[in-house]
Amino acid sequence: MRREYDFLVIGSGIAGLSYALKVADFGSVAVVSKTELKETNTAYAQGGISSVMYEPDSFEKHIEDTLIAGDGVCDIKAVKKVIEEAPEQIQQLLDWGTNFDKKDDGLFDLHREGGHSEHRILHHKDNTGAEIQRALIESIKKHPSISVFENHFAVDVITQHHLGRVTEPWMRDIECYGAYILNKYTGKVDTFLAKTTMMASGGIGSVYQTTTNPLIATGDGVAMVFRAKGIIDNMEFVQFHPTALYNLSERPSFLITEAMRGYGGILRRQNGEEFMEEYDERGCLAPRDIVARAIDNELKNRGEEFVYLDVTHKPAEETKKHFPNIFKKCLSLGIDITKDMIPVVPAAHYLCGGIKTDLKGRSSIINLYAAGECACSGLHGANRLASNSLIEALVFSNAAALDAGEKVNSIEFNHRIPEWNDEGTSHPEEMILITQSNKEVQQIMSKYVGIVRSRIRLNRAYDRLEVLYRETEALFQDSKVSEKICHLRNKINVGYLIIKMARKRKESRGLHYNIDFPDKLDN
Ligand code: FAD
Ligand code: SIN
């Protein structure tokens, strides 16, 4: 089947839906989501969304905190843009019906998280993302120009090369005309032609064995743009959240929000000793790369499987009021967080790199935009400051919507695009091969390309992944397209990019720590 829309949006998280709501003023919009609209990283966000709201906070302080976390790799223009436009985008979220917690005096109840010098995190209890997702979905469903395609899986973007239409020196001579989308109800690949395409496909957590991300986070967008020869950047900077609940039987790992450390939570060894002061003068509120590495070191040195996060010294009622979901979740496992310490471990959480974009949210491929976690806008640099990602998605989706909206009428559909060619045959035994290779990818990435890296581990990871790459490409060419094989292929592409960029960086910086190159090179 062939469909045509002015705007194609791949992804239904905060980046995709906020963009869709804005471009809908300029033409027809298709939003595709590979599962249900609500199954996104966005819906899992707990801590909140950062924005300077009241004095004594200031843009300068938020900019400074973001640059310190980013460790010399941030793009100052992107940092300024996000932070200065944040209050306006928060107002937009409120207008779409999002509720954030307020204090008795009517002002927003702002939290503080690691690396932030001020209280500036707007939140909805401890499930901010679910509240944002709810408000966006309700707004989308009411909009007459937006068509929603759930259970539609984008396989590849449609591009042509060498047309001589590049307008900016950093861009590539490649143009995008939409995407091939697998309709999971019919099993057929449909051609979605679009004048402009927005990649808002989220994160990559599922490339690792242990992650806070839902299963959808397989890096599809990054892999699709990589295969289309767009520019991908900063992939070595994968953020591990220091405090995922230690519960081996659960996938994804349940997050214990950083806001709990902002609230006064203390990290302790299993014998009850505090340890963060030994690693950083900011203690438990040091940026999360430092905290995650400290925990990793503690676990390795002591041969233990978890450390504790302790809020038992805080007033029980206040703890329950601020963290009702965490309280409920832990209680269901027999942990009463007002009396018992919470066992925690680091888990893969966020990709700071991704599809390189400019200040208008444009990728290096003409008429292809990217926003949210799959994009590398320059905001996070080598390490994302907590709660800076939801706001980044909003600001760059807005910028992209303005740019795409302005030029959509000057773009033609490309009707010469052929249908998807799917002549492969499926064999039942392929499924077991795919499942096994998938486990291998996750093991390779977790064992060799995790929080602490080394030359030998990265080389081993590269060699192992290369074998899987060859096998999977052969299988892909031979098979009828399925979501499962596409996921595997995408994870291998993403793993390859992380390893390649990690091998290239001959220093330790931000989230990338290599024991063979422990120092920073001069910038
Ligand atoms: P997502 O919300 O992940 O949406 C991705 C969408 O793309 C989904 O709809 C998915 O179905 C779709 N998709 C992907 N691939 C395909 C494909 N091939 N075809 C079709 N559709 C596809 N950030 C903060 O700022 N504050 C927080 O408090 C915070 N807490 C977090 C807590 C957790 C547990 C996690 C996991 C993340 C947290 N983050 C937080 C990070 C933040 O939630 C994400 O970075 C952000 O929500 C990403 O939004 P997005 O729109 O880019 O992607
Ligand atoms: C958290 O609540 O700790 C997650 C915040 C984030 O990832 O930004």
Side-chain angles (χ1 to χ4, degrees):
M1 177 174 293
R2 244 174 142 78
R3 299 179 187 273
E4 287 184 6
Y5 290 91
D6 293 320
F7 305 93
L8 171 63
V9 186
I10 300 172
S12 61
I14 188 168
L17 295 190
S18 64
Y19 172 84
L21 284 166
K22 291 189 170 160
V23 288
D25 291 342
F26 302 95
S28 58
V29 185
V31 174
V32 301
S33 171
K34 65 181 173 184
T35 57
E36 293 176 291
L37 273 187
K38 62 176 191 224
E39 185 58 359
T40 61
N41 272 15
T42 299
Y44 283 67
Q46 288 186 359
I49 179 162
S50 62
S51 173
V52 172
M53 298 301 287
Y54 314 119
E55 285 182 338
D57 200 4
S58 64
F59 290 148
E60 289 70 30
K61 288 186 192 170
H62 193 181
I63 290 169
E64 174 82 3
D65 293 345
T66 302
L67 293 175
I68 291 172
D71 207 4
V73 182
C74 299
D75 174 347
I76 182 70
K77 290 200 194 100
V79 175
K80 282 190 167 165
K81 180 176 176 68
V82 171
I83 286 162
E84 290 171 6
E85 292 181 18
E88 188 188 322
Q89 292 308 316
I90 293 291
Q91 186 55 49
Q92 174 72 84
L93 269 189
L94 295 169
D95 294 344
W96 282 327
T98 313
N99 296 303
F100 293 122
D101 290 358
K102 289 189 171 165
K103 296 184 295 183
D104 294 341
D105 61 7
L107 296 180
F108 287 110
D109 175 32
L110 302 177
H111 277 169
R112 184 177 162 199
E113 294 177 346
H116 287 272
S117 56
E118 292 289 346
H119 285 70
R120 62 168 77 99
I121 318 294
L122 294 121
H123 63 99
H124 178 90
K125 301 198 168 45
D126 56 354
N127 61 353
T128 311
E131 169 61 11
I132 294 174
Q133 188 78 38
R134 177 202 62 74
L136 289 171
I137 289 179
E138 281 176 16
S139 304
I140 283 281
K141 290 204 161 154
K142 281 188 229 145
H143 206 298
S145 309
I146 302 177
S147 306
V148 169
F149 295 87
E150 290 183 301
N151 290 305
H152 278 65
F153 178 85
V155 177
D156 264 318
V157 286
I158 303 170
T159 52
Q160 279 184 353
H161 295 218
H162 309 305
L163 301 160
R165 298 206 188 114
V166 178
T167 50
E168 312 263 336
W170 75 279
M171 290 180 107
R172 300 238 156 120
D173 192 5
I174 308 169
E175 201 164 62
C176 179
Y177 307 109
Y180 289 118
I181 312 265
L182 173 67
N183 177 337
K184 287 163 60 177
Y185 301 109
T186 62
K188 297 263 185 293
V189 176
D190 297 335
T191 307
F192 277 61
L193 288 184
K195 293 182 178 172
T196 64
T197 301
M198 162 56 86
M199 191 58 78
S201 56
I204 58 122
S206 295
V207 169
Y208 287 88
Q209 271 173 323
T210 313
T211 177
T212 61
N213 293 191
L215 299 179
I216 54 124
T218 50
D220 300 346
V222 174
M224 282 186 257
V225 174
F226 169 62
R227 286 195 295 270
K229 304 206 171 359
I231 302 176
I232 310 289
D233 221 352
N234 287 1
M235 292 294 287
E236 68 273 42
F237 301 120
V238 178
Q239 185 167 69
F240 286 76
H241 198 289
T243 58
L245 182 64
Y246 174 76
N247 179 12
L248 290 181
S249 60
E250 192 168 9
R251 201 177 150 74
S253 302
F254 182 79
L255 183 74
I256 306 294
T257 177
E258 186 148 332
M260 242 187 194
R261 278 177 286 128
Y263 168 71
I266 299 168
L267 286 162
R268 297 185 186 280
R269 296 184 177 118
Q270 288 192 17
N271 64 12
E273 287 167 1
E274 290 183 38
F275 58 86
M276 270 314 300
E277 301 288 341
E278 294 169 28
Y279 292 88
D280 193 284
E281 60 189 15
R282 290 162 288 186
C284 292
L285 281 178
R288 59 176 63 154
D289 60 319
I290 294 171
V291 182
R293 253 192 323 270
I295 297 176
D296 187 67
N297 193 46
E298 288 291 320
L299 299 182
K300 284 191 176 130
N301 284 347
R302 305 177 81 81
E304 292 174 346
E305 298 210 335
F306 57 83
V307 296
Y308 281 120
L309 181 62
D310 180 12
V311 285
T312 57
H313 54 288
K314 300 291 287 185
E317 285 315 308
E318 209 180 317
T319 300
K320 285 194 239 174
K321 183 175 151 226
H322 281 285
F323 306 105
N325 290 301
I326 294 177
F327 176 74
K328 206 165 118 202
K329 169 74 186 181
C330 290
L331 204 58
S332 76
L333 299 169
I335 305 162
D336 177 347
I337 65 170
T338 65
K339 298 193 188 105
D340 307 317
M341 295 193 286
I342 312 166
V344 292
V345 281
H349 183 62
Y350 185 84
L351 175 67
C352 292
I355 303 160
K356 187 175 165 56
T357 51
D358 68 3
L359 294 179
K360 295 179 176 174
R362 297 181 299 184
S363 79
S364 59
I365 296 180
I366 299 166
N367 298 335
L368 177 67
Y369 296 82
E373 192 164 339
C374 69
C376 179
S377 70
L379 173 71
H380 308 306
N383 185 16
R384 175 182 66 110
L385 188 64
S387 288
N388 260 1
S389 44
L390 294 169
I391 196 66
E392 178 203 34
L394 279 176
V395 168
F396 281 106
S397 285
N398 179 58
L402 293 174
D403 193 68
E406 195 180 287
K407 72 177 181 210
V408 70
N409 286 334
S410 63
I411 303 169
E412 301 287 326
F413 289 109
N414 185 341
H415 291 116
R416 296 179 305 282
I417 294 301
E419 300 292 299
W420 176 262
N421 178 2
D422 196 6
E423 289 175 349
T425 48
S426 273
H427 303 292
E429 66 268 26
E430 283 167 6
M431 288 306 160
I432 180 69
L433 299 182
I434 295 170
T435 307
Q436 184 52 30
S437 298
N438 189 47
K439 280 193 192 139
E440 285 174 38
V441 174
Q442 290 173 331
Q443 271 168 3
I444 292 167
M445 295 305 291
S446 295
K447 298 273 182 277
Y448 307 133
V449 202
I451 296 175
V452 175
R453 300 159 181 181
S454 72
R455 195 167 21 196
I456 200 165
R457 287 181 211 169
L458 291 175
N459 288 344
R460 175 174 284 207
Y462 188 90
D463 293 343
R464 300 283 194 277
L465 207 66
E466 202 176 18
V467 175
L468 287 169
Y469 169 76
R470 281 200 304 270
E471 288 171 0
T472 306
E473 280 305 305
L475 195 58
F476 182 81
Q477 298 309 333
D478 239 20
S479 314
K480 265 206 160 12
V481 75
S482 71
E483 189 178 14
K484 222 167 163 180
I485 190 153
C486 289
H487 273 162
L488 173 61
R489 192 173 177 233
N490 291 341
K491 286 184 196 177
I492 291 173
N493 285 171
V494 168
Y496 164 79
L497 287 164
I498 296 173
I499 298 166
K500 186 177 117 177
M501 295 190 197
R503 289 210 310 183
K504 209 166 149 203
R505 189 168 283 280
K506 304 280 188 258
E507 62 168 350
S508 289
R509 184 181 291 280
L511 296 163
H512 172 73
Y513 188 79
N514 186 330
I515 51 175
D516 293 314
F517 304 101
D519 300 320
K520 260 180 238 177
L521 296 174
D522 291 340
N523 255 341

